[in-house]
């Protein structure tokens, strides 16, 4: 089995609402409007294009699994999904976990077991604080 981990950090934002029913997103962008209802963290230290070659190689295998763990204020949110040979990892700012199998340059994983609307509301409340630091652990294994 091959396992590769990535760690990044994101921050909270007053406009985070985390209500999207099909995805969640972490972005390097610092500005957020209410339209960004899938966003759960801003000012991330990495976007899709910044992930390591090793992580991308494992995640681009159709048999791979991907786990995303977001931690803030003692609360942990774990999402599990799949990798795909269709993942591109070329977007400079965004990482999107999707419940569907749709892929684009922003897609981190497909077939996620949760979307933004399923994040614990206590976690979302914490991330409304711009001072909130969110640790994001990504694991790809095959």
């Amino acid at each position: 089995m091959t396992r590769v981990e990535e760690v990044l950090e994101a921050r909270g934002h007053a406009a985070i609402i985390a209500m999207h029913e099909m995805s969640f997103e972490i972005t390097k962008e610092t500005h957020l409007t209410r339209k960004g209802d899938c966003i759960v963290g801003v000012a991330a230290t990495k976007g899709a294009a910044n992930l390591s070659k090793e992580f991308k190689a494992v995640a681009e295998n159709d048999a791979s699994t991907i786990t995303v763990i977001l931690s803030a204020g003692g609360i942990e949110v774990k999402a599990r999904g799949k990798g795909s040979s269709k993942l591109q990892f070329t977007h400079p700012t965004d990482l999107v976990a999707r419940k569907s199998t749709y892929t684009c340059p922003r897609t981190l994983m497909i077939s996620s077991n949760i979307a933004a609307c399923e994040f614990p509301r206590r976690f979302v409340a914490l991330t409304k604080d711009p001072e909130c630091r969110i640790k994001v652990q990504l694991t790809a294994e095959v």
Side-chain angles (χ1 to χ4, degrees), residues 2-138:
T2 302
R3 177 184 172 109
V4 181
E5 294 186 14
E6 291 266 343
V7 177
L8 58 133
E9 186 176 281
R11 309 225 19 144
H13 191 285
I16 288 178
I17 58 172
M19 292 303 294
H20 201 278
E21 296 180 356
M22 292 301 293
S23 65
F24 69 87
E25 176 181 337
I26 300 144
T27 182
K28 288 172 75 173
E29 299 288 346
T30 56
H31 181 71
L32 173 60
T33 68
R34 293 275 178 189
K35 284 185 177 180
D37 65 348
C38 65
I39 296 174
V40 297
V42 301
T45 53
K46 294 180 185 178
N50 306 117
L51 298 176
S52 70
K53 289 186 292 187
E54 295 80 10
F55 182 90
K56 293 176 189 179
V58 174
E60 289 170 349
N61 185 317
D62 288 324
S64 67
T65 58
I66 299 175
T67 304
V68 180
I69 301 173
L70 298 98
S71 309
I75 301 173
E76 189 175 279
V77 180
K78 184 182 281 190
R80 287 193 167 91
K82 296 180 179 180
S84 170
S85 57
K86 295 179 181 170
L87 295 176
Q88 302 165 43
F89 295 113
T90 56
H91 200 275
T93 60
D94 301 345
L95 290 164
V96 180
R98 303 178 188 282
K99 282 190 148 188
S100 70
T101 57
Y102 174 79
T103 61
C104 75
R106 305 165 63 217
T107 307
L108 168 65
M109 70 178 177
I110 60 172
S111 303
S112 176
N113 65 328
I114 65 169
C117 68
E118 296 165 294
F119 275 50
R121 294 297 102 181
R122 288 183 346 165
F123 182 87
V124 175
L126 283 173
T127 63
K128 288 182 175 293
D129 179 355
E131 296 301 312
C132 177
R133 292 176 181 237
I134 306 161
K135 180 181 177 185
V136 183
Q137 297 170 266
L138 311 175

